[in-house]
Amino acid sequence: MTDIRIRDIAPRLAGQAHPIGTDDKVRLIDAMTDAGVPAIEVSSFVRPDLIPGLADAAEVFRRIKRKPHVSFECCVGNERGLQRAIDAGADAAWFLLSADEGFAEQNIGRSTDESLLELERMQKVASSAAITLGTYIIFAWGGPTSLPRRASDLEHLFRRLREIGIREWILADSCGYAAPTDARELATFAINELGGPETITVQIHDGRGMGLANVAELVGLGITRIDTALAGSGGHPAMRGTPGAGVCTEDVVQLLHLEGYTTGIDLPQLIRAANWFSDTLDIPSKGFVRYAGPVPVDSATSRSAEFEWRTA
């Protein structure tokens, strides 16, 4: 069946929410590349006074082991951040565009329309540089200051992105509002807008427990690019107490493998990386497979259970 490209966002998503040293960020990213993760969101080039946990982005990019066929990516908020990403050698930079106007005004400091103008300027810079510029659409399914959002609510954003020439999109369910029917509706709408699923990534957050169901629904639509977070980690410093973790990478990889998809990821090695990340660094985490173990595929991986009848 079709290869699914997993892009792990844990270094950025957890790094912005929890104190993680530079050495440990480098070790985390290297462990994920060793496990075969094909794309990693390393960090963000944003104002360090707003997100101090990612102030070491350039240093992390400098020190990680670069491997062929692995894409090392980042988030950016303006033209200055894009230039820093180019200087650091990032393969792709993702602009943070909010579908939620209240969040945009309060936390990004400009309206969504103003952000689109900034993105248009950045596209001109990226067109002459060795970097792919795409855009997040955060809170695509709603929140944090709005109710759940329908596909038609984003039509104007999609139209402007096409006019600007941005054809790499990440639809992010940042608050975990989407049920599978919602995920299917918006993803189908976006596929029709771009003429196919090839440049659409869907980022699943599992704050309300619907992450794996949404992944299964999306890959059934032909979406082959999914964002996940190692050990189900992550959060947003501007939304403390709000569920913000990404859907657990290990659980997604097991689901996809059992469904017959390929990812190129070594699941046992990924589980070891997740255990180290969560346990050694004391990062809040979710997930199932790293506790219960993968579903056995042969006698060598099967665990024999012991039972004992007890009578009163």
Side-chain angles (χ1 to χ4, degrees):
M1 295 180 73
T2 306
D3 288 344
I4 303 297
R5 179 184 185 264
I6 295 295
R7 197 180 77 106
D8 199 297
I9 60 174
R12 191 270 301 177
L13 200 64
Q16 70 185 17
H18 308 288
I20 305 175
T22 304
D23 289 347
D24 288 326
K25 291 175 185 175
V26 171
R27 180 176 174 182
L28 167 65
I29 294 164
D30 288 348
M32 288 196 292
T33 57
D34 288 344
V37 178
I40 299 169
E41 194 169 77
V42 172
S43 192
S44 289
F45 290 96
V46 293
R47 285 171 48 185
D49 60 321
L50 293 179
I51 307 184
L54 301 181
D56 58 354
E59 176 74 3
V60 175
F61 264 97
R62 185 182 67 81
R63 291 175 53 187
I64 55 176
K65 293 186 297 186
R66 302 292 183 114
K67 288 194 171 186
H69 312 301
V70 178
S71 183
F72 297 98
E73 307 182 0
C74 64
C75 293
V76 294
N78 52 33
E79 186 176 334
R80 181 182 178 188
L82 174 61
Q83 189 57 59
R84 292 173 62 201
I86 293 169
D87 293 342
D91 296 302
W94 298 93
F95 181 69
L96 293 165
L97 177 66
S98 177
D100 186 273
E101 195 67 44
F103 182 88
E105 295 278 6
Q106 296 171 31
N107 293 284
I108 298 176
R110 58 181 177 234
S111 69
T112 300
D113 285 340
E114 290 170 336
S115 290
L116 286 164
L117 292 174
E118 177 72 17
L119 180 57
E120 190 169 13
R121 291 189 289 269
M122 293 166 64
Q123 171 70 344
K124 296 174 182 176
V125 174
S127 63
S128 59
I131 196 169
T132 297
L133 176 64
T135 189
Y136 266 90
I137 303 176
I138 59 175
F139 310 113
W141 278 269
T145 71
S146 64
L147 294 172
R149 188 170 287 110
R150 311 304 304 178
S152 57
D153 297 330
L154 296 179
E155 187 173 2
H156 68 293
L157 279 184
F158 291 168
R159 182 177 63 252
R160 281 288 290 128
L161 290 172
R162 291 199 317 272
E163 291 170 355
I164 293 170
I166 302 292
R167 299 187 62 82
E168 298 270 349
W169 303 352
I170 296 175
L171 305 178
D173 185 20
S174 312
C175 286
Y177 279 11
T181 52
D182 306 313
R184 180 175 64 249
E185 180 198 17
L186 180 54
T188 299
F189 192 87
I191 288 169
N192 291 336
E193 288 289 307
L194 281 178
E198 296 80 12
T199 60
I200 296 171
T201 300
V202 182
Q203 185 172 114
I204 304 298
H205 290 243
D206 205 23
R208 289 169 170 81
M210 295 181 282
L212 287 178
N214 287 335
V215 170
E217 187 72 27
L218 291 163
V219 296
L221 284 177
I223 297 287
T224 60
R225 302 183 355 167
I226 303 290
D227 278 3
T228 63
L230 192 75
S233 59
H236 196 290
M239 301 188 300
R240 299 188 187 280
T242 300
V247 67
C248 180
T249 304
E250 314 90 82
D251 290 355
V252 170
V253 170
Q254 176 174 246
L255 169 69
L256 293 172
H257 289 180
L258 291 175
E259 289 290 301
Y261 296 96
T262 58
T263 65
I265 295 173
D266 183 318
L267 181 55
Q269 192 166 351
L270 188 71
I271 291 171
R272 288 193 291 273
N275 285 334
W276 169 80
F277 180 53
S278 178
D279 299 341
T280 305
L281 302 186
D282 196 26
I283 299 297
S285 60
K286 296 184 178 181
F288 292 94
V289 68
R290 73 185 188 90
Y291 297 104
V295 173
V297 295
D298 53 38
S299 59
T301 59
S302 178
R303 297 180 180 178
S304 59
E306 295 183 1
F307 301 96
E308 180 182 354
W309 288 103
R310 296 185 181 276
T311 58

